[in-house]
Amino acid sequence: MVDGLTKVYGEHRAVDDVTFSVEPGRVTGFLGPNGAGKSTTLRMLCALTRPTSGSALLLGRRYEDIPNPGRTVGVLLDASAQHPGRTGRESLTLSALAMGLDRRRVEEMLELVGLTPAEARRRVGAYSLGMRQRLGIANALLGSPRILLLDEPANGLDPAGIRWMRTLLSDFTSAGGAALLSSHLLREVEVIADDLVVIGRGRIVATGSKEELLATAGTVVRSDDDRALEQALRAQGLEPVPSARGGMVVEAQPVEVGRVAAAHRIPLSELRPSESGGLEERFLELTAADAREGVS
């Protein structure tokens, strides 16, 4: 789907040689700190931003080359970017007409996302953020697409709404759809995602199945001089990653890490096998050098 995708603004590389794929029947979580390049990548996927180089293909085509793209790709990038003067039903009806759909599809989508007839008659400007999210999701699903591109779709939803979102994505992928989901709600991503793509400073820092990335692996090590230890480990071809709890995580056995430290006479204060602390801890480890703010 995405191959060598790059976007440069002046001297700033917002997205740098990003490559990953989203498989049918699976939810792919797209994660990264603020400013990491997630939104720019999504905008390039749906032709709102032109790549500097590389390609972003959906079922083998660029978004702009797909006839009637709403029938193939459902997009929700910003739930607030909806005409405030239209009612919810009017917004969906205009989209349905543009895609050549039967108006009955509008009522089906309103029911699917839980907007009542009274809410559908209200103007979007009077909607809460959660209601706008539901309307945006209805719009994304209106054309019965095979791919969903969703940026923070659970933002503004209450716990019941988040659970509904989880079920909706599960049903969509169970029917063979492919979903790319960008979110800061790491615990929710951990529940729903099958695969993960983690980006930091515009570059992919990890990609793979959720099980692979969260599997227990490697060694936690802490020393009196972590900088010297990091240099020694790298000299041996090992790649230490800063741990969210201090020290480093190294994809090697404790005995191997201990030998490197001993050879360089670096006293260790901690040396133990790594234990998976879930997606939040793994995310913090992978993006420690790139994070600007905390995560949800």
Side-chain angles (χ1 to χ4, degrees):
M1 177 182 280
V2 177
D3 184 16
L5 200 60
T6 299
K7 181 61 182 178
V8 179
Y9 296 100
E11 297 182 355
H12 175 58
R13 299 180 77 85
V15 176
D16 189 3
D17 194 28
V18 164
T19 298
F20 65 88
S21 62
V22 179
E23 302 299 327
R26 299 177 73 83
V27 176
T28 298
F30 191 34
L31 308 175
N34 289 342
K38 302 187 302 298
S39 293
T40 301
T41 299
L42 290 171
R43 287 178 62 84
M44 287 190 283
L45 271 166
C46 57
L48 292 175
T49 296
R50 184 177 296 277
T52 302
S53 61
S55 62
L57 303 180
L58 302 158
L59 300 179
R61 292 183 174 186
R62 298 184 305 165
Y63 184 91
E64 58 264 43
D65 295 332
I66 301 173
N68 202 353
R71 302 288 294 268
T72 300
V73 185
V75 178
L76 175 60
L77 298 187
D78 184 356
S80 297
Q82 302 180 67
H83 197 301
R86 295 178 183 143
T87 68
R89 179 176 282 105
E90 287 171 346
S91 294
L92 289 182
T93 300
L94 287 171
S95 294
L97 292 173
M99 284 186 269
L101 301 173
D102 192 302
R103 289 177 182 240
R104 287 176 294 184
R105 182 67 175 166
V106 172
E107 302 307 319
E108 292 173 5
M109 288 299 98
L110 288 169
E111 183 177 354
L112 177 68
V113 301
L115 289 175
T116 67
E119 291 169 337
R121 289 193 298 269
R122 290 170 57 186
R123 298 191 186 277
V124 174
Y127 278 14
S128 67
L129 178 55
M131 291 171 66
R132 291 188 188 197
Q133 290 283 18
R134 289 176 181 269
L135 180 62
I137 292 165
N139 224 323
L141 290 170
L142 190 62
S144 301
R146 296 167 61 186
I147 300 171
L148 283 179
L149 304 177
L150 306 176
D151 193 4
E152 302 290 350
N155 190 21
L157 294 180
D158 58 19
I162 291 174
R163 184 174 184 179
W164 163 79
M165 167 73 67
R166 190 188 307 163
T167 301
L168 182 147
L169 287 173
S170 178
D171 290 345
F172 178 78
T173 53
S174 294
L180 180 63
L181 167 66
S182 172
S183 179
H184 283 96
L185 300 177
L186 299 181
R187 291 182 180 86
E188 279 308 307
V189 174
E190 186 170 2
V191 171
I192 189 60
D194 302 296
D195 302 306
L196 299 171
V197 176
V198 185
I199 188 172
R201 295 189 183 180
R203 296 186 65 87
I204 298 295
V205 297
T207 183
S209 72
K210 179 174 64 178
E211 290 75 16
E212 290 171 346
L213 292 185
L214 300 186
T216 300
T219 296
V220 174
V221 61
R222 194 192 308 255
S223 74
D224 293 344
D225 189 345
D226 280 349
R227 179 172 295 183
L229 178 59
E230 179 181 358
Q231 292 174 348
L233 291 167
R234 291 188 185 280
Q236 295 299 312
L238 302 176
E239 293 294 330
V241 176
S243 171
R245 299 180 180 179
M248 293 170 281
V249 178
V250 188
E251 291 191 6
Q253 295 298 315
V255 64
E256 185 177 359
V257 176
R259 284 172 181 161
V260 173
H264 289 78
R265 298 184 179 181
I266 301 173
L268 300 181
S269 56
E270 183 176 11
L271 180 67
R272 61 176 175 81
S274 175
E275 299 176 356
S276 176
L279 179 56
E280 183 171 315
E281 181 169 338
R282 185 65 172 140
F283 174 84
L284 292 171
E285 290 172 355
L286 290 168
T287 62
D290 308 312
R292 296 182 178 181
E293 301 175 6
V295 294
S296 300

